[in-house]
Amino acid sequence: MSYDTNNIFAKILRHEIPNATVYEDDFVLAFKDINPKAKIHVLVIPKGSYVDLQDLIEHGTPAEIDGFFKGILATVSTLQLANGYRLVFNTGKDSGQEVPHLHAHILAGEKLCSHQL
Ligand code: AMP
């Protein structure tokens, strides 16, 4: 999958459409999922243009890679998820990945069932 600069998360990063931000730093933006699959459902995206994890690891700088994973944990910390959380990366067609910009789903806030997302 090649990077499409018109994908919805690229538009969010360019401030062309609004988002409900929960955390932001130099490397990531974290915001509430518009169609939550759990009581807490937050997406964490890198600020760089990467389609999926493989793209980030192969083409990102060490600072971007480090910053992405640290940004996920900083978001988890901001959300204060004392009872735990689920982290999901949908990747490619079979996973149902809809948006071709790397994103981590953080699901939490309730007892999650095995098929949630
Ligand atoms: P995926 O299926 O892994 O690509 O997940 C894409 C996610 O993006 C879905 O859970 C959507 O509900 C969510 N989503 C799509 N558009 C927006 C938006 N404008 N703001 C927040 N979340 C969105």
Side-chain angles (χ1 to χ4, degrees), residues 8-9 12 17-20 31-37 41 43 88-91 95-101 103 105 117:
I8 197 134
F9 294 169
I12 285 175
I17 57 173
N19 74 90
F31 52 92
K32 291 182 183 172
D33 195 293
I34 206 166
N35 182 21
K37 313 289 190 308
H41 187 174
L43 303 171
V88 174
F89 292 94
N90 286 327
T91 307
S95 73
Q97 181 180 2
E98 291 169 11
V99 182
H101 182 112
H103 50 282
H105 294 259
L117 212 132

Side-chain angles (χ1 to χ4, degrees), residues 70-90:
K70 285 186 176 152
I72 292 171
L73 290 185
T75 305
V76 165
S77 175
T78 298
L79 292 169
Q80 299 188 303
L81 306 177
N83 290 328
Y85 57 93
R86 179 172 295 161
L87 202 55
V88 174
F89 292 94
N90 286 327

Side-chain angles (χ1 to χ4, degrees), residues 51-62:
V51 175
D52 56 24
L53 260 187
Q54 188 173 346
D55 192 14
L56 174 69
I57 300 298
E58 284 181 1
H59 303 114
T61 65

